[in-house]
Amino acid sequence: HVQLVESGGGSVQAGGSLTLSCAASGYTYSTSCMAWFRQAPGKEREWVAVMHISGGTTYYADSVKGRFTISQNNAKNTVYLQMNSLKPGDTAVYYCAAEPGVIVGLCSVVAGAYRYWGQGTQVTVS
């Protein structure tokens, strides 16, 4: 069965860095769109970064552009979110999401387009 297991969350001071990981299994990783979303208390889930495992353009929300980087390791079936220059406004539960079988270039930034989700990892910036 499909599993997305996130790790790497924690507490950090403003200006610091964290790297989140999302280990994927149970589906054809190479054909998938992978995304990071986040949800702060009292707010709706919002997309952060999106990529297709087989290449193409990566997309970032304006709020994180230039500070966050999404990447992946084929050998480990793992997607990463490198977060630099963190701000208190980045505090949220971060989720990775996967949608297999998507053509390169057609990854969505809409949460409803992703069938598979990780359990979430808390990031707190103070």
Side-chain angles (χ1 to χ4, degrees):
H1 67 284
V2 175
Q3 276 194 307
L4 298 175
V5 180
E6 297 143 352
S7 60
S11 296
V12 65
Q13 291 190 335
S17 299
L18 282 173
T19 300
L20 306 183
S21 300
C22 173
S25 61
Y27 67 96
T28 307
Y29 180 75
S30 62
T31 70
S32 61
C33 294
M34 298 295 294
W36 287 96
F37 288 80
R38 67 186 182 185
Q39 189 166 17
K43 294 188 177 181
E44 292 193 356
R45 192 169 296 190
E46 63 173 357
W47 77 281
V48 174
V50 174
M51 71 178 300
H52 195 288
I53 295 303
S54 291
T57 304
T58 55
Y59 297 94
Y60 297 94
D62 287 344
S63 58
V64 306
K65 202 172 293 183
R67 300 187 298 122
F68 290 13
T69 303
I70 187 171
S71 63
Q72 66 92 19
N73 184 320
N74 272 320
K76 297 183 178 181
N77 279 18
T78 299
V79 176
Y80 305 95
L81 186 68
Q82 173 69 43
M83 305 185 293
N84 298 326
S85 302
L86 283 161
K87 305 175 181 179
D90 295 318
T91 295
V93 177
Y94 284 70
Y95 299 89
C96 70
E99 180 59 28
V102 181
I103 297 172
V104 174
L106 295 182
C107 292
S108 174
V109 300
V110 176
Y114 292 82
R115 280 178 286 171
Y116 304 114
W117 291 81
Q119 80 282 4
T121 186
Q122 177 70 46
V123 172
T124 303
V125 185
S126 59

